């Protein structure tokens, strides 16, 4: 005699509910297992997609950092400096 209890979260706690035994219990158990497998497949597909997208995104972040550095170096060479995150041309100080 095999009994099956379903489990679900209610207010953060796991609550088990008697579903049935015999054929009813086996059918319910099979449905729960199929749902678990579907969730696992979806999670695996989502993780694979995240990994696929992470590489180009990381490359873009590196390219953006390199561009910011090149702009900063170019502006400093041209005589600019930063004041409150704004680029300003240095004034020539005549003594």
């Amino acid at each position: 005699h095999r009994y099956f209890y379903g489990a679900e979260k209610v207010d953060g706690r796991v609550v088990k509910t008697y579903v049935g035994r015999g054929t009813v219990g086996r059918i319910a158990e099979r449905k729960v297992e199929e749902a678990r497998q579907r969730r696992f497949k979806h999670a695996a597909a989502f993780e694979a997609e995240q990994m696929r997208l992470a590489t180009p995104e990381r490359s873009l972040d590196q390219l953006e950092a390199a561009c910011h550095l090149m702009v900063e170096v170019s502006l400093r060479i041209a005589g600019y400096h930063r004041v409150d995150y704004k680029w300003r041309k240095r004034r020539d100080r005549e003594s």
Side-chain angles (χ1 to χ4, degrees):
H1 296 13
R2 190 167 183 177
Y3 300 95
F4 183 77
Y5 285 81
E8 63 180 334
K9 278 197 173 188
V10 177
D11 295 330
R13 296 179 58 226
V14 176
V15 177
K16 298 205 176 211
T17 307
Y18 176 74
V19 176
R21 67 182 181 103
T23 304
V24 172
R26 284 192 296 276
I27 291 170
E29 184 179 22
R30 193 175 313 126
K31 287 187 179 222
V32 167
E33 184 58 33
E34 288 170 357
R36 184 179 294 128
Q37 290 297 323
R38 273 195 306 277
R39 283 193 310 272
F40 178 77
K41 285 180 184 176
H42 287 301
F46 180 76
E47 186 175 333
E49 182 68 5
Q50 291 294 96
M51 292 299 291
R52 187 183 74 77
L53 293 175
T55 301
E57 189 172 314
R58 192 173 18 248
S59 296
L60 283 175
D61 289 343
Q62 292 170 345
L63 177 62
E64 182 182 17
C67 288
H68 281 288
L69 182 61
M70 289 181 357
V71 167
E72 182 173 350
V73 168
S74 298
L75 287 169
R76 289 193 186 278
I77 289 172
Y80 287 81
H81 68 288
R82 268 192 142 153
V83 176
D84 295 326
Y85 299 101
K86 295 176 186 171
W87 288 102
R88 303 242 172 120
K89 181 80 170 169
R90 285 202 187 274
R91 288 184 268 171
D92 291 329
R93 293 187 180 179
E94 295 180 20
S95 301

